[in-house]
Coordinates of all heavy atoms in Angstrom, one line a residue:
M265 N 231.0 -102.3 95.1 CA 232.2 -101.6 95.5 C 231.8 -100.5 96.5 O 231.2 -99.5 96.1 CB 232.8 -101.0 94.3 CG 234.1 -100.4 94.6 SD 235.0 -100.0 93.0 CE 235.1 -98.3 93.2
S266 N 232.1 -100.7 97.7 CA 231.8 -99.7 98.7 C 233.1 -99.2 99.4 O 234.0 -100.0 99.6 CB 230.8 -100.2 99.8 OG 231.4 -101.2 100.5
I267 N 233.1 -98.0 99.8 CA 234.3 -97.4 100.5 C 233.9 -97.3 102.0 O 232.9 -96.8 102.3 CB 234.7 -96.1 99.9 CG1 235.0 -96.2 98.4 CG2 235.8 -95.4 100.7 CD1 235.2 -94.9 97.7
E268 N 234.8 -97.9 102.8 CA 234.5 -97.8 104.2 C 235.0 -96.5 104.8 O 236.1 -96.1 104.8 CB 235.3 -98.9 105.0 CG 234.8 -100.3 104.7 CD 233.4 -100.5 105.2 OE1 233.1 -100.1 106.4 OE2 232.6 -101.2 104.6
R269 N 234.0 -95.6 105.1 CA 234.3 -94.3 105.7 C 233.6 -94.3 107.1 O 232.5 -94.8 107.3 CB 233.7 -93.2 104.8 CG 234.4 -93.1 103.5 CD 233.8 -91.9 102.7 NE 234.5 -91.8 101.4 CZ 233.9 -91.4 100.4 NH1 232.7 -90.9 100.4 NH2 234.6 -91.3 99.2
P270 N 234.3 -93.6 108.0 CA 233.7 -93.5 109.3 C 232.4 -92.6 109.2 O 232.4 -91.6 108.5 CB 234.8 -92.9 110.2 CG 235.7 -92.3 109.2 CD 235.6 -93.0 108.0
V271 N 231.4 -92.9 110.0 CA 230.2 -92.1 110.0 C 230.5 -90.9 110.9 O 231.0 -91.0 112.0 CB 229.0 -92.9 110.6 CG1 227.8 -92.0 110.7 CG2 228.8 -94.1 109.7
P272 N 230.2 -89.7 110.4 CA 230.5 -88.5 111.3 C 229.6 -88.5 112.5 O 228.4 -88.8 112.4 CB 230.2 -87.3 110.4 CG 229.4 -87.8 109.3 CD 229.7 -89.3 109.1
V273 N 230.2 -88.2 113.6 CA 229.5 -88.1 114.9 C 229.1 -86.7 115.2 O 230.0 -85.8 115.1 CB 230.3 -88.7 116.0 CG1 229.6 -88.6 117.3 CG2 230.6 -90.2 115.7
P274 N 227.9 -86.3 115.5 CA 227.5 -85.0 115.8 C 228.3 -84.5 117.1 O 228.7 -85.3 117.9 CB 226.0 -85.0 116.1 CG 225.6 -86.3 115.6 CD 226.7 -87.2 115.5
R275 N 228.5 -83.2 117.2 CA 229.2 -82.7 118.4 C 228.5 -83.0 119.7 O 229.2 -83.1 120.7 CB 229.3 -81.2 118.3 CG 230.3 -80.7 117.2 CD 230.4 -79.2 117.2 NE 230.2 -78.6 118.6 CZ 229.9 -77.4 118.8 NH1 229.8 -76.5 117.8 NH2 229.8 -76.9 120.0
T276 N 227.2 -83.2 119.7 CA 226.5 -83.5 120.9 C 226.3 -84.9 121.2 O 225.4 -85.3 122.0 CB 225.1 -82.7 120.8 OG1 224.4 -83.2 119.7 CG2 225.3 -81.3 120.7
A277 N 227.0 -85.8 120.5 CA 226.9 -87.3 120.7 C 228.2 -87.8 121.2 O 229.3 -87.3 120.9 CB 226.5 -88.0 119.4
V278 N 228.1 -88.9 121.9 CA 229.3 -89.6 122.4 C 229.6 -90.8 121.4 O 228.8 -91.6 121.1 CB 229.1 -90.2 123.8 CG1 230.3 -91.0 124.3 CG2 228.7 -89.1 124.8
P279 N 230.8 -90.8 120.9 CA 231.2 -91.8 119.9 C 231.1 -93.2 120.5 O 231.4 -93.4 121.7 CB 232.6 -91.5 119.4 CG 233.0 -90.2 120.1 CD 231.9 -89.9 121.1
L280 N 230.8 -94.2 119.8 CA 230.7 -95.6 120.3 C 232.1 -96.2 120.2 O 233.0 -95.8 119.4 CB 229.8 -96.4 119.4 CG 228.3 -96.0 119.4 CD1 227.5 -96.8 118.4 CD2 227.7 -96.1 120.8
G281 N 232.3 -97.2 121.0 CA 233.6 -98.0 120.9 C 234.7 -97.5 121.9 O 235.8 -97.9 121.8
I282 N 234.4 -96.5 122.7 CA 235.4 -96.0 123.7 C 235.4 -97.0 124.8 O 234.4 -97.3 125.5 CB 235.1 -94.6 124.2 CG1 235.1 -93.6 123.0 CG2 236.1 -94.2 125.2 CD1 234.6 -92.2 123.4
T283 N 236.6 -97.6 125.1 CA 236.7 -98.6 126.2 C 237.3 -98.0 127.4 O 237.0 -98.5 128.5 CB 237.6 -99.8 125.7 OG1 238.8 -99.3 125.3 CG2 236.9 -100.5 124.5
D284 N 238.1 -97.0 127.3 CA 238.8 -96.4 128.5 C 237.8 -95.5 129.2 O 237.1 -94.6 128.6 CB 240.0 -95.5 128.0 CG 240.7 -94.9 129.2 OD1 240.7 -95.5 130.3 OD2 241.4 -93.9 128.9
P285 N 237.6 -95.7 130.5 CA 236.6 -95.0 131.2 C 236.9 -93.5 131.3 O 236.0 -92.6 131.3 CB 236.6 -95.5 132.6 CG 237.5 -96.7 132.6 CD 238.2 -96.8 131.3
V286 N 238.2 -93.1 131.3 CA 238.5 -91.7 131.4 C 238.2 -91.0 130.0 O 237.6 -89.9 130.0 CB 240.0 -91.5 131.7 CG1 240.5 -90.1 131.6 CG2 240.3 -92.1 133.1
Q287 N 238.5 -91.7 128.9 CA 238.2 -91.2 127.6 C 236.7 -91.1 127.4 O 236.2 -90.1 126.8 CB 238.8 -92.0 126.5 CG 240.3 -91.8 126.3 CD 240.8 -92.7 125.2 OE1 240.1 -93.6 124.7 NE2 242.0 -92.4 124.8
E288 N 235.9 -92.1 127.9 CA 234.5 -92.0 127.8 C 233.9 -90.9 128.6 O 233.0 -90.2 128.2 CB 233.9 -93.3 128.3 CG 232.4 -93.4 128.2 CD 231.8 -94.7 128.6 OE1 232.6 -95.6 129.1 OE2 230.6 -94.9 128.5
A289 N 234.4 -90.6 129.8 CA 234.0 -89.5 130.7 C 234.3 -88.2 130.0 O 233.4 -87.3 130.0 CB 234.6 -89.6 132.0
R290 N 235.4 -88.1 129.4 CA 235.8 -86.8 128.6 C 234.9 -86.6 127.5 O 234.4 -85.5 127.2 CB 237.2 -86.9 128.2 CG 238.2 -86.7 129.3 CD 239.6 -86.7 128.8 NE 240.6 -86.5 129.9 CZ 241.8 -87.0 129.9 NH1 242.3 -87.6 128.8 NH2 242.6 -86.8 130.9
A291 N 234.6 -87.7 126.7 CA 233.7 -87.6 125.6 C 232.3 -87.2 126.0 O 231.6 -86.4 125.3 CB 233.7 -88.9 124.8
E292 N 231.8 -87.8 127.1 CA 230.5 -87.4 127.6 C 230.4 -86.0 128.1 O 229.5 -85.2 127.8 CB 230.1 -88.3 128.8 CG 229.8 -89.7 128.3 CD 229.5 -90.7 129.5 OE1 229.6 -90.2 130.7 OE2 229.2 -91.8 129.3
L293 N 231.5 -85.5 128.7 CA 231.6 -84.1 129.2 C 231.6 -83.2 128.0 O 230.9 -82.2 127.9 CB 232.8 -83.9 130.1 CG 233.0 -82.4 130.5 CD1 231.8 -82.0 131.4 CD2 234.3 -82.3 131.3
K294 N 232.4 -83.5 127.0 CA 232.5 -82.7 125.8 C 231.2 -82.6 125.1 O 230.7 -81.6 124.6 CB 233.6 -83.3 124.8 CG 233.8 -82.5 123.6 CD 234.9 -83.2 122.8 CE 235.1 -82.4 121.5 NZ 236.1 -83.1 120.6
A295 N 230.5 -83.8 125.0 CA 229.1 -83.8 124.3 C 228.1 -83.0 125.1 O 227.3 -82.2 124.5 CB 228.7 -85.2 124.2
A296 N 228.2 -83.1 126.4 CA 227.3 -82.3 127.3 C 227.5 -80.8 127.1 O 226.6 -80.0 127.0 CB 227.4 -82.7 128.7
L297 N 228.8 -80.4 127.1 CA 229.1 -79.0 127.0 C 228.7 -78.5 125.6 O 228.2 -77.3 125.5 CB 230.6 -78.7 127.2 CG 231.0 -78.9 128.7 CD1 232.5 -78.8 128.8 CD2 230.4 -77.9 129.6
A298 N 228.9 -79.3 124.6 CA 228.4 -78.9 123.3 C 226.9 -78.7 123.2 O 226.4 -77.8 122.6 CB 228.9 -79.9 122.2
A299 N 226.2 -79.6 123.8 CA 224.7 -79.5 123.8 C 224.3 -78.3 124.6 O 223.3 -77.6 124.2 CB 224.1 -80.8 124.5
I300 N 224.9 -78.0 125.7 CA 224.6 -76.8 126.4 C 224.9 -75.5 125.6 O 224.1 -74.6 125.6 CB 225.4 -76.7 127.8 CG1 224.8 -77.8 128.7 CG2 225.3 -75.3 128.4 CD1 225.7 -78.0 130.0
E301 N 226.0 -75.5 124.9 CA 226.3 -74.4 124.0 C 225.3 -74.2 122.9 O 224.9 -73.1 122.7 CB 227.7 -74.6 123.4 CG 228.1 -73.4 122.5 CD 229.4 -73.7 121.7 OE1 229.9 -74.8 121.8 OE2 229.7 -72.8 120.9
V302 N 224.9 -75.3 122.3 CA 223.9 -75.2 121.3 C 222.6 -74.7 121.8 O 221.9 -73.8 121.2 CB 223.7 -76.6 120.6 CG1 222.4 -76.6 119.7 CG2 224.9 -77.0 119.8
K303 N 222.2 -75.1 123.0 CA 220.9 -74.7 123.6 C 220.9 -73.3 124.1 O 219.9 -72.6 124.0 CB 220.6 -75.7 124.7 CG 219.2 -75.6 125.3 CD 218.2 -76.2 124.4 CE 216.8 -76.2 125.1 NZ 215.8 -76.8 124.3
A304 N 222.1 -72.9 124.7 CA 222.1 -71.6 125.3 C 222.6 -70.5 124.4 O 222.5 -69.3 124.8 CB 223.1 -71.7 126.5
N305 N 223.0 -70.8 123.2 CA 223.5 -69.7 122.4 C 222.3 -69.1 121.6 O 222.1 -69.3 120.4 CB 224.5 -70.3 121.4 CG 225.3 -69.2 120.7 OD1 225.0 -68.0 120.7 ND2 226.4 -69.6 120.0
V306 N 221.6 -68.2 122.3 CA 220.4 -67.6 121.8 C 220.7 -66.8 120.5 O 219.9 -66.9 119.6 CB 219.6 -66.8 122.9 CG1 218.4 -66.1 122.3 CG2 219.2 -67.8 124.0
P307 N 221.7 -65.9 120.5 CA 221.9 -65.1 119.3 C 222.1 -66.0 118.1 O 221.6 -65.6 117.0 CB 223.2 -64.3 119.7 CG 223.2 -64.2 121.1 CD 222.6 -65.5 121.6
R308 N 222.8 -67.1 118.2 CA 223.1 -67.9 117.1 C 221.8 -68.6 116.6 O 221.5 -68.7 115.4 CB 224.1 -69.0 117.4 CG 224.4 -69.9 116.2 CD 225.6 -70.8 116.4 NE 225.8 -71.6 115.3 CZ 226.7 -72.5 115.2 NH1 227.5 -72.8 116.3 NH2 226.9 -73.3 114.2
R309 N 220.9 -69.0 117.6 CA 219.7 -69.6 117.3 C 218.8 -68.6 116.6 O 218.1 -69.0 115.6 CB 219.0 -70.2 118.5 CG 219.8 -71.4 119.1 CD 219.2 -71.8 120.4 NE 217.8 -72.2 120.3 CZ 217.1 -72.5 121.4 NH1 217.6 -72.3 122.6 NH2 215.8 -72.8 121.3
V310 N 218.7 -67.4 117.0 CA 217.9 -66.4 116.4 C 218.4 -66.1 115.0 O 217.7 -66.0 114.0 CB 217.9 -65.1 117.2 CG1 217.3 -63.9 116.5 CG2 217.2 -65.3 118.6
S311 N 219.8 -66.0 114.8 CA 220.4 -65.8 113.5 C 220.0 -66.9 112.6 O 219.7 -66.7 111.4 CB 221.9 -65.7 113.7 OG 222.5 -65.6 112.4
D312 N 220.1 -68.1 113.0 CA 219.7 -69.3 112.2 C 218.2 -69.2 111.8 O 217.9 -69.5 110.6 CB 220.0 -70.6 112.9 CG 221.5 -70.9 113.0 OD1 222.3 -70.2 112.4 OD2 221.9 -71.8 113.8
A313 N 217.4 -68.9 112.7 CA 215.9 -68.8 112.4 C 215.7 -67.7 111.4 O 214.8 -67.8 110.5 CB 215.1 -68.5 113.7
V314 N 216.4 -66.5 111.6 CA 216.2 -65.4 110.6 C 216.7 -65.8 109.2 O 216.0 -65.5 108.2 CB 216.9 -64.2 111.1 CG1 217.0 -63.1 110.0 CG2 216.2 -63.6 112.4
D315 N 217.8 -66.5 109.2 CA 218.3 -67.0 107.9 C 217.3 -67.9 107.2 O 217.1 -67.8 106.0 CB 219.7 -67.7 108.0 CG 220.8 -66.7 108.4 OD1 220.6 -65.5 108.3 OD2 221.8 -67.2 108.9
I316 N 216.7 -68.8 108.0 CA 215.7 -69.7 107.4 C 214.5 -69.0 106.9 O 214.0 -69.2 105.8 CB 215.3 -70.8 108.4 CG1 216.5 -71.7 108.7 CG2 214.1 -71.6 108.0 CD1 216.3 -72.7 109.9
R317 N 214.0 -68.0 107.7 CA 212.9 -67.2 107.3 C 213.1 -66.4 106.0 O 212.3 -66.3 105.1 CB 212.4 -66.3 108.4 CG 211.2 -65.6 108.2 CD 210.0 -66.5 108.1 NE 208.8 -65.7 107.8 CZ 207.9 -66.0 106.9 NH1 207.9 -67.2 106.3 NH2 206.8 -65.3 106.7
V318 N 214.3 -65.8 106.0 CA 214.7 -65.0 104.8 C 214.7 -65.9 103.5 O 214.3 -65.5 102.5 CB 216.1 -64.3 105.0 CG1 216.6 -63.7 103.7 CG2 215.9 -63.2 106.0
A319 N 215.3 -67.1 103.7 CA 215.3 -68.0 102.5 C 213.9 -68.4 102.1 O 213.6 -68.4 100.9 CB 216.1 -69.2 102.9
E320 N 213.0 -68.6 103.1 CA 211.6 -68.9 102.7 C 210.9 -67.7 102.0 O 210.2 -67.9 101.0 CB 210.8 -69.2 104.0 CG 211.2 -70.5 104.6 CD 210.5 -70.7 106.0 OE1 209.8 -69.8 106.5 OE2 210.7 -71.8 106.6
V321 N 211.2 -66.5 102.5 CA 210.5 -65.3 101.9 C 211.1 -65.1 100.5 O 210.4 -64.8 99.5 CB 210.8 -64.1 102.8 CG1 210.4 -62.8 102.0 CG2 210.0 -64.2 104.0
R322 N 212.4 -65.3 100.3 CA 213.0 -65.1 99.0 C 212.4 -66.2 98.0 O 212.1 -65.8 96.8 CB 214.5 -65.3 99.0 CG 215.2 -64.0 99.6 CD 216.7 -64.2 99.6 NE 217.3 -63.0 100.1 CZ 218.5 -62.9 100.5 NH1 219.3 -63.9 100.5 NH2 219.0 -61.7 101.0
E323 N 212.2 -67.4 98.5 CA 211.7 -68.4 97.6 C 210.2 -68.1 97.2 O 209.8 -68.2 96.1 CB 211.7 -69.8 98.3 CG 211.1 -70.9 97.5 CD 211.8 -71.2 96.2 OE1 213.0 -70.9 96.1 OE2 211.1 -71.8 95.3
A324 N 209.5 -67.6 98.2 CA 208.1 -67.2 97.9 C 208.0 -66.0 96.9 O 207.2 -66.0 96.0 CB 207.3 -66.8 99.2
A325 N 209.0 -65.1 97.1 CA 209.0 -63.9 96.2 C 209.4 -64.4 94.8 O 209.0 -63.8 93.8 CB 210.0 -62.9 96.7
R326 N 210.3 -65.4 94.7 CA 210.7 -65.9 93.4 C 209.5 -66.6 92.7 O 209.3 -66.5 91.5 CB 211.9 -66.9 93.6 CG 212.5 -67.3 92.2 CD 213.4 -68.5 92.4 NE 212.8 -69.7 92.9 CZ 212.0 -70.5 92.2 NH1 211.8 -70.2 90.9 NH2 211.5 -71.6 92.7
R327 N 208.7 -67.3 93.5 CA 207.6 -68.0 92.9 C 206.4 -67.1 92.5 O 205.7 -67.3 91.5 CB 207.0 -69.1 93.9 CG 207.9 -70.3 93.9 CD 207.2 -71.4 94.8 NE 207.7 -71.2 96.2 CZ 206.9 -71.1 97.2 NH1 205.6 -71.2 97.1 NH2 207.4 -70.9 98.4
N328 N 206.2 -66.0 93.3 CA 205.1 -65.1 93.0 C 205.6 -63.7 93.2 O 205.4 -63.1 94.3 CB 204.0 -65.4 94.0 CG 202.7 -64.8 93.6 OD1 202.7 -63.9 92.7 ND2 201.6 -65.1 94.3
P329 N 206.2 -63.1 92.2 CA 206.7 -61.7 92.4 C 205.7 -60.6 92.6 O 205.9 -59.6 93.2 CB 207.5 -61.5 91.1 CG 207.3 -62.6 90.2 CD 206.5 -63.7 90.9
A330 N 204.5 -60.9 92.0 CA 203.4 -59.9 92.2 C 203.0 -59.8 93.6 O 202.8 -58.7 94.1 CB 202.2 -60.2 91.3
A331 N 202.8 -60.9 94.3 CA 202.5 -60.9 95.7 C 203.6 -60.2 96.6 O 203.3 -59.5 97.5 CB 202.2 -62.3 96.2
A332 N 204.8 -60.5 96.2 CA 205.9 -59.9 96.9 C 205.9 -58.4 96.7 O 206.1 -57.6 97.7 CB 207.2 -60.5 96.4
A333 N 205.7 -57.9 95.5 CA 205.6 -56.4 95.3 C 204.4 -55.8 96.1 O 204.6 -54.7 96.6 CB 205.5 -56.2 93.8
A334 N 203.3 -56.5 96.1 CA 202.2 -56.0 96.9 C 202.5 -55.9 98.4 O 202.1 -55.0 99.0 CB 200.9 -56.9 96.6
A335 N 203.2 -56.9 98.9 CA 203.5 -56.9 100.3 C 204.5 -55.8 100.6 O 204.4 -55.1 101.6 CB 204.2 -58.3 100.6
V336 N 205.5 -55.6 99.7 CA 206.4 -54.5 99.9 C 205.7 -53.1 99.9 O 205.9 -52.2 100.7 CB 207.5 -54.5 98.9 CG1 208.4 -53.2 98.9 CG2 208.4 -55.7 99.1
A337 N 204.7 -53.0 99.0 CA 204.0 -51.7 98.9 C 203.1 -51.5 100.1 O 203.0 -50.4 100.6 CB 203.1 -51.7 97.6
G338 N 202.5 -52.6 100.6 CA 201.7 -52.5 101.8 C 202.5 -52.1 103.0 O 202.1 -51.3 103.8
V339 N 203.7 -52.7 103.2 CA 204.6 -52.4 104.3 C 205.0 -50.9 104.2 O 205.1 -50.2 105.2 CB 205.8 -53.3 104.4 CG1 206.8 -52.8 105.3 CG2 205.3 -54.7 104.8
A340 N 205.4 -50.5 103.0 CA 205.8 -49.1 102.8 C 204.7 -48.1 103.1 O 204.9 -47.1 103.7 CB 206.3 -48.9 101.3
A341 N 203.4 -48.5 102.7 CA 202.3 -47.6 103.0 C 202.1 -47.6 104.6 O 201.8 -46.5 105.1 CB 201.0 -48.1 102.3
A342 N 202.2 -48.7 105.2 CA 202.0 -48.7 106.7 C 203.1 -47.9 107.4 O 202.8 -47.1 108.3 CB 202.0 -50.2 107.2
V343 N 204.3 -48.0 106.9 CA 205.4 -47.2 107.5 C 205.1 -45.7 107.2 O 205.3 -44.9 108.1 CB 206.8 -47.6 107.0 CG1 207.8 -46.7 107.4 CG2 207.1 -49.0 107.5
G344 N 204.7 -45.4 106.0 CA 204.5 -44.0 105.7 C 203.3 -43.4 106.5 O 203.4 -42.3 107.0
L345 N 202.3 -44.2 106.7 CA 201.1 -43.7 107.5 C 201.6 -43.5 108.9 O 201.1 -42.6 109.6 CB 200.0 -44.6 107.4 CG 199.2 -44.6 106.0 CD1 198.2 -45.7 106.0 CD2 198.6 -43.2 105.8
T346 N 202.4 -44.4 109.4 CA 202.8 -44.3 110.8 C 203.7 -43.1 111.0 O 203.5 -42.4 112.0 CB 203.6 -45.6 111.2 OG1 202.8 -46.7 111.0 CG2 204.1 -45.5 112.7
V347 N 204.6 -42.8 110.1 CA 205.5 -41.6 110.2 C 204.6 -40.4 110.0 O 204.8 -39.4 110.7 CB 206.6 -41.7 109.1 CG1 207.3 -40.4 109.0 CG2 207.5 -42.8 109.4
W348 N 203.7 -40.4 109.1 CA 202.8 -39.2 108.9 C 201.9 -38.9 110.1 O 201.7 -37.7 110.4 CB 202.0 -39.4 107.6 CG 201.2 -38.3 107.2 CD1 201.6 -37.0 106.9 CD2 199.8 -38.2 107.1 NE1 200.6 -36.2 106.6 CE2 199.4 -36.9 106.7 CE3 198.7 -39.2 107.3 CZ2 198.1 -36.5 106.5 CZ3 197.4 -38.8 107.0 CH2 197.1 -37.5 106.7
A349 N 201.5 -39.9 110.8 CA 200.6 -39.7 111.9 C 201.4 -39.3 113.1 O 201.6 -38.4 113.7 CB 199.9 -41.0 112.3

């Protein structure tokens, strides 16, 4: 028993089965503009990278809380020494 569902098409892809040349050109243009937006949106890419790194650090801290506490203490000492100097 399977349910026929359409496969979602990414924003940067052109759907298959378009027969009208005008609709195909519009779909290609839309996909190209979406790809340019994804590539050129640097703040969003940076935000996504930061979110991924934060999740990795939180997971590492959850697995090894002693190392996380030592890292926090080391960073606090470095900031303190920098301010004091």
Side-chain angles (χ1 to χ4, degrees):
M265 184 169 121
S266 68
I267 299 173
E268 292 293 322
R269 294 186 181 149
V271 177
V273 178
R275 287 183 32 198
T276 58
V278 178
L280 298 174
I282 298 176
T283 57
D284 183 24
V286 174
Q287 285 182 345
E288 184 177 5
R290 286 181 181 156
E292 289 174 358
L293 178 61
K294 183 178 176 183
L297 291 174
I300 290 169
E301 179 190 1
V302 167
K303 189 78 170 178
N305 195 348
V306 175
R308 182 172 179 184
R309 290 172 61 191
V310 169
S311 175
D312 291 346
V314 167
D315 291 344
I316 290 170
R317 185 67 181 138
V318 166
E320 290 172 355
V321 169
R322 284 184 179 163
E323 178 62 25
R326 188 191 63 76
R327 280 186 275 127
N328 193 352
V336 169
V339 169
V343 168
L345 286 173
T346 302
V347 170
W348 184 58

